[in-house]
Structure formats: C-alpha cells, structure tokens
Amino acid sequence: MDKELVKNSFDIDQLGLIKQLIPENAKILLEYEGPFSKEIIRLFSLKISEFIKTNSQVYKKFFYVFIELAQNVKEYSDWRSTLEDGKNYGVGALIIGELDDRFILYIGNVVNNKDLEVLKKKCEIINSLDRESLRLFKRQQRNLIPGTNQNAHIGLIMVALTTRKKLDIDIKPIDENHSFFTLKISIQKNFKQTSN
Amino acid sequence: MEENLENIHLDEVRNIYVSPRVDFNAETGVCEISGESFLEETAKFYSPLLDWLKKYTKTGRPITFNIKLTYFNTSSSKWLLKILYLLSEYQNKADVKINWYIYKDDIDLVEDIQDFMEDVGTKINIIFYDDENK
C-alpha cells in the first residue's frame, strides 16, 4: 500500500460536521477528533464499559461496533497523521451519546471521492440484503485470505449484523476531491432477546 | 516418526491490544483459547498455534478444542476459521470435539458460531454459561 506517501491534511471542523447530525436531546458522553491511534481506540473502548453498565448485551454490541469502525478510521481515513511512534494513523472524529432509549455512536472521516463511490456501493449492497443473505455475505468475506483489504468491508457487514439495522450514512463534500463520511449508529437500550 | 510436541501455555496479555490465554496440551489433547482476542497482528499470534495443531493432527490422537472467547475481532475470526477447517479435516482421522462456551445472552455469537459451522461443515457444541467473567 502506498498510504505512507499520502500526507493529506484538511482545514475542516470534523466534530462540527458530526455534531450537526446528532439528535438535539442527546446527552454527549464523549467527543473526540484527531488521530485514531491504538492507544486512543483502547482508551475509548474502556470508556464504553463505564458508559454502558446495565445491559451486557448492549455493551457487547456497542463495543463490537465501536472497535470495527474505529479501526476503519485508523486504516482507511484519507487524512493521515504520523505520531511519535513513527506510525501513520487515520484522522477522524466521533461522538458517543445517550438518549432515553438508545446509545449512539457517530463516527466520521475524510474519504477520497474515488473511494467514496466504492464505499457507497458497499453500503447500498449491505442495506439491500436481508439477514440471511448478509450472513452469507459475511461468510464469503471471512473466507477470503487474511490480510487482504477486505477487512473494511467485513467490518461494515458485521456492524449491520450486530446493530440489526441498515447502515445510516451521511456524506458532506469538502472540496472537489474529498468528502466527509459519517456513519450514524444507534443501539437500543432495551435490546430484546430474540430466540429462534 | 512421532514428534515430541511441547505444550503451549500463554497468559492473557492486556496491553493496548489483548491477546487470549492459550493452553494446548499435547498429552491430553485438550486445547483451550480463552479471554479476548483483540489483536492487530493476528498472523504473528495465530500462525504458531495453527502450526502446533497441524503437528498434533499428525498423531491421530483425539482432541478437544475449547473456545472461551468473550470477544474476538474480525481479523481474529479469520484465524479461528482456519483452525476450525483444520479440525474439521482431522475428524476423518480421529475423535474431535469442538466446544464453544458463550455467555447466555450473547445471541449474536450464537449466530456467528452457526455460520462457522456452516462454513467448515463440522458440529460445534455451544455451551452456555451463566455468570459473566468480565
């Protein structure tokens, strides 16, 4: 991958872009913008266990989705930043919030418009599938050789499966070549166990 | 030509990432992975385990494989799948038991295990437990 060569940086207010999408009555538990380093991802994943204490299933779902999406920002954001460890991390922003009936995770990053089309298409495909087809799609992706860049896609499939909802996305153009891509995740608090 | 296989014991390591606890016993054939598998370099962690299992499956002796993972990331799941494929093949030669222990309300994981079974064509026993060891 030639990601190391990419030194994109953008003069935009990422948190502002996400904030305008948040429901007004949401209580914000955590907001962040910056590089998605390993330390940050781990730190926030620990925070989640403080936010969601009452229902272990809701916690697991939220944790799982957070990790998948935070890693996607780290790997695939077009805005890159090199930290003290010499490694190159994706820059993005997120807001974790709470409403009466659900927890929300809004997470976004800069995407090159070339990649945006692929990403949009992928979300459309995922949203067009029923649960059984989505499970089959996951199996196909998981059977691909580890290390291929399919991981981002399987991540999105896992998110749709875990939340049991369609992927809800928002796209805002930044300049002629870039857009800001936000995924709006919500996980119900009273998640009912469905036995089959 | 039977090789002497050393047992594998790895403690859980909680750093930025979390690697699971591993106990592979060459004498008893009981092999266990437990805890969390939240890794970045999954190949580095899992390929020695897969190699060990490949050697073990040359012995023809029975194996009981216990998975007690409360969390595994997507790239870890690809390696779990590789292990399950190997064990599935080994079933033609030896007695193989695969047990997956899960917390009682983790329905997403139940579904995922069913999908693993579908892929490898092997029965995985799902064993529910009640108290959460978080």
Side-chain angles (χ1 to χ4, degrees):
Chain A
M1 281 212 269
D2 55 1
K3 209 162 263 169
E4 308 309 316
L5 303 173
V6 182
K7 290 278 181 240
N8 283 337
S9 170
F10 298 85
D11 185 21
I12 53 164
D13 173 14
Q14 299 182 94
L15 259 180
L17 287 172
I18 294 182
K19 252 183 198 157
Q20 54 182 264
L21 305 170
I22 296 278
E24 256 177 41
N25 51 342
K27 180 182 154 202
I28 293 177
L29 302 171
L30 177 75
E31 55 178 51
Y32 172 77
E33 78 183 304
F36 276 53
S37 66
K38 299 177 216 178
E39 287 83 0
I40 282 291
I41 295 176
R42 187 68 196 163
L43 182 70
F44 292 171
S45 73
L46 295 173
K47 281 268 175 223
I48 291 167
S49 66
E50 292 171 22
F51 298 148
I52 309 175
K53 286 203 166 111
T54 45
N55 185 324
S56 72
Q57 206 182 342
V58 173
Y59 163 74
K60 268 182 193 153
K61 281 177 183 290
F62 200 95
F63 177 83
Y64 199 102
V65 168
F66 166 77
I67 297 285
E68 291 297 331
L69 296 179
Q71 288 197 315
N72 277 1
V73 175
K74 168 174 166 277
E75 297 296 323
Y76 303 108
S77 171
D78 210 48
W79 183 347
R80 313 298 302 174
S81 172
T82 305
L83 297 185
E84 283 166 7
D85 63 6
K87 289 193 180 137
N88 188 275
Y89 296 100
V91 171
L94 67 79
I95 290 176
I96 293 175
E98 183 176 6
L99 287 100
D100 288 342
D101 59 338
R102 62 191 193 274
F103 289 98
I104 56 170
L105 166 68
Y106 284 29
I107 182 165
N109 59 270
V110 174
V111 179
N112 193 299
N113 287 344
K114 297 196 304 272
D115 305 322
L116 184 68
E117 288 314 308
V118 179
L119 185 57
K120 264 164 71 179
K121 187 88 202 132
K122 187 62 78 172
C123 292
E124 275 165 28
I125 293 170
I126 290 172
N127 286 345
S128 73
L129 298 175
D130 63 20
R131 192 163 185 85
E132 286 312 303
S133 317
L134 205 52
R135 284 170 71 178
L136 184 64
F137 193 27
K138 171 192 72 182
R139 286 171 46 205
Q140 287 166 350
Q141 297 286 318
R142 190 153 60 192
N143 273 286
L144 297 170
I145 304 143
T148 57
N149 61 359
Q150 297 298 319
N151 282 341
H153 299 153
I154 193 172
L156 290 178
I157 299 170
M158 295 309 288
V159 168
L161 282 169
T162 306
T163 58
R164 294 171 187 258
K165 289 200 177 93
K166 306 281 180 209
L167 298 173
D168 187 4
I169 64 176
D170 180 84
I171 296 163
K172 294 247 174 355
I174 301 172
D175 58 37
E176 62 266 38
N177 296 319
H178 300 91
S179 302
F180 193 77
F181 178 89
T182 304
L183 262 162
K184 301 182 279 178
I185 304 294
S186 62
I187 291 176
Q188 298 304 124
K189 284 182 181 172
N190 63 339
F191 200 86
K192 285 270 171 12
Q193 229 170 298
T194 50
S195 50
N196 34 358
Chain B
M1 56 154 281
E2 205 163 293
E3 261 185 274
N4 257 338
L5 262 187
E6 301 260 342
N7 294 344
I8 297 184
H9 172 79
L10 302 172
D11 279 322
E12 181 183 70
V13 178
R14 281 186 168 272
N15 207 320
I16 292 171
Y17 288 93
V18 186
S19 66
R21 180 190 160 100
V22 177
D23 266 305
F24 284 7
N25 190 312
E27 287 98 58
T28 63
V30 177
C31 300
E32 199 162 288
I33 300 184
S34 56
E36 277 178 49
S37 183
F38 175 33
L39 296 158
E40 188 176 40
E41 295 175 312
T42 39
K44 212 161 132 189
F45 184 83
Y46 278 100
S47 68
L49 302 182
L50 192 65
D51 287 344
W52 190 97
L53 289 166
K54 277 180 184 160
K55 283 180 194 150
Y56 184 86
T57 53
K58 297 229 162 50
T59 64
R61 295 208 304 269
I63 186 166
T64 300
F65 200 84
N66 296 323
I67 304 172
K68 298 179 176 174
L69 292 173
T70 51
Y71 171 77
F72 50 91
N73 59 351
T74 309
S75 46
S76 298
S77 77
K78 293 190 170 205
W79 283 92
L80 293 173
L81 187 61
K82 282 182 170 215
I83 290 175
L84 293 172
Y85 272 120
L86 178 73
L87 295 174
S88 171
E89 242 174 75
Y90 190 46
Q91 258 187 338
N92 305 321
K93 292 201 291 186
D95 183 22
V96 176
K97 274 196 193 66
I98 308 170
N99 302 314
W100 204 313
Y101 292 78
I102 68 175
Y103 183 62
K104 63 172 168 46
D105 72 359
D106 203 344
I107 50 167
D108 290 336
L109 186 52
V110 173
E111 205 178 75
D112 211 20
I113 296 169
Q114 287 166 351
D115 291 342
F116 274 122
M117 277 196 248
E118 199 72 34
D119 276 330
V120 299
T122 297
K123 181 162 169 48
I124 299 171
N125 304 308
I126 300 178
I127 300 168
F128 292 94
Y129 65 87
D130 222 322
D131 60 320
E132 186 142 32
N133 54 350
K134 269 207 314 196

